Amino acid sequence: MSIVPKFVAASANENNKPTGAGLYARFAFAGAVCCGVTHGALTPVDVVKTRIQLEPTVYNKGMVAGFRHIIKNEGAGALLTGFGPTFSGYFLQGALKFGGYELWKKNFIDILGIETASNNRTAIYLASSAIAEFFADIALCPLEATRIRLVSQPSFATGLFSGFSKILKEEGIARGFYSGFGPICFKQIPYTMAKFVVYERAAEYIYGTLSTPKELLSSGAHTGVNLTSGLIAGICAAIVSQPADTLLSKINKQKGAAGSVTSRLIGLSKELGVKGLFIGLGPRIVMVGALTSLQFAIYGDIKRVLGATGGVEITKN
């Protein structure tokens, strides 16, 4: 069976379909919005998840009890702690991740040719997402460090700008912002690899089971496929990346300590054990499953609105 690249236009006027830098800028914008909005909206869940990881002896009765404990002792406003760095960080990260993923996928397809790329599409999904996420993490890391510090130490600063400035002034760029770069890569790169490859294969499977060809489906049907595939991808990605997420929270809780990041990670891993590394998995599955599902739905919808649907697909016909 021959392999044919599919180009799906969002508009009847093919001449107006964006290409080149304009196309990938639209991919990046769609990725920025979907990641910034979803992570920002789930800030309360992330606050509870981070508290469970950092203070398991206090927050030891589950996610719902964690919400109640924070509201009772700190007020409902505490659930929005870290919203600024969360939205800003993931807006930047989303642009580089989704835009970069589409770009690197296209580059690999151009290098290998469409038939070879289709036969090795899982490897291309993994490689493209890993490279894109590495660069996205460089932008995310300082804001994620600020977010964790605000959540773990509510009295540290009043918000994004004061917290960011205080860390920069007192600890510097390397120790203050990038002491967690190793664990954030260990978390985000496997997470993103699982996220994209599971999403792509799940969507391919779902479209393959439908009686109506993909090109003839309604926008609502495409959104439904994106939601379902994204939910499956999010659950898988959450499980894969949970140990590194716990280590990231631990290493960013306090000022940069002595010793290399690697030695600190090894020490924390031994201290926590396997069970400790998966503390907070339940809330994180809820959070990551929901946000990943919404991300792919929003991403697909924004691409359609912007006419940015000219990427090459390498699914089997």
Side-chain angles (χ1 to χ4, degrees):
M1 185 177 292
S2 63
I3 306 302
V4 181
K6 304 174 189 174
F7 296 86
V8 182
S11 169
N13 187 349
E14 292 290 321
N15 293 327
N16 293 331
K17 189 169 65 175
T19 59
L23 175 63
Y24 290 97
R26 286 168 171 79
F27 288 150
F29 177 75
V33 173
C34 77
C35 287
V37 169
T38 52
H39 278 277
L42 288 170
T43 295
V45 177
D46 206 19
V47 168
V48 176
K49 181 268 299 180
T50 302
R51 293 287 184 89
I52 290 173
Q53 290 175 324
L54 297 179
E55 301 178 68
T57 58
V58 177
Y59 298 91
N60 57 6
K61 297 181 180 179
M63 185 169 62
V64 175
F67 274 102
R68 290 174 178 168
H69 186 277
I70 292 173
I71 293 172
K72 179 181 178 180
N73 292 278
E74 303 174 44
L79 293 172
L80 292 177
T81 301
F83 173 80
T86 297
F87 178 83
S88 302
Y90 284 96
F91 188 89
L92 290 173
Q93 187 240 24
L96 294 170
K97 174 162 65 177
F98 279 85
Y101 173 72
E102 300 282 6
L103 179 62
W104 282 103
K105 185 169 68 170
K106 178 64 164 58
N107 286 336
F108 282 123
I109 293 169
D110 289 343
I111 292 169
L112 297 174
I114 190 69
E115 187 162 357
T116 301
S118 183
N119 290 332
N120 296 277
R121 59 194 183 280
T122 296
I124 288 176
Y125 299 149
L126 291 171
S128 301
S129 57
I131 296 170
E133 185 59 47
F134 176 80
F135 290 105
D137 288 344
I138 295 174
L140 173 64
C141 198
L143 292 158
E144 182 70 353
T146 305
R147 179 194 71 79
I148 292 174
R149 191 68 62 84
L150 292 173
V151 172
S152 62
Q153 300 176 21
S155 61
F156 178 75
T158 58
L160 168 59
F161 294 109
S162 60
F164 190 94
S165 300
K166 188 173 181 179
I167 294 174
L168 179 62
K169 180 179 179 180
E170 295 183 356
E171 302 169 48
I173 294 175
R175 178 162 291 189
F177 291 138
Y178 284 97
S179 63
F181 184 67
I184 207 171
C185 286
F186 294 147
K187 180 187 84 167
Q188 288 294 137
I189 292 177
Y191 159 79
T192 298
M193 293 170 72
K195 169 180 174 175
F196 277 104
V197 75
V198 173
Y199 165 79
E200 295 273 17
R201 297 310 294 258
E204 178 181 340
Y205 175 80
I206 293 171
Y207 281 123
T209 63
L210 300 177
S211 58
T212 303
K214 179 179 178 180
E215 293 78 7
L216 300 179
L217 291 172
S218 66
S219 296
H222 285 294
T223 300
V225 173
N226 287 336
L227 282 168
T228 304
S229 303
L231 178 61
I232 297 169
I235 292 171
C236 294
I239 295 171
V240 166
S241 60
Q242 176 63 21
D245 183 68
T246 300
L247 291 173
L248 177 65
S249 295
K250 291 287 187 181
I251 208 168
N252 276 320
K253 182 179 179 180
Q254 298 176 341
K255 295 182 178 180
S260 68
V261 173
T262 301
S263 65
R264 292 166 65 192
L265 290 175
I266 293 173
L268 283 170
S269 298
K270 291 179 179 179
E271 178 185 333
L272 292 168
V274 175
K275 183 178 180 180
L277 288 172
F278 282 91
I279 288 175
L281 178 60
R284 191 158 183 268
I285 284 178
V286 172
M287 183 186 77
V288 174
L291 73 84
T292 303
S293 180
L294 290 172
Q295 278 177 8
F296 280 111
I298 295 170
Y299 181 65
D301 288 346
I302 293 177
K303 285 199 300 180
R304 281 197 297 275
V305 169
L306 298 177
T309 53
V312 181
E313 297 181 11
I314 48 176
T315 59
K316 291 275 189 179
N317 283 335

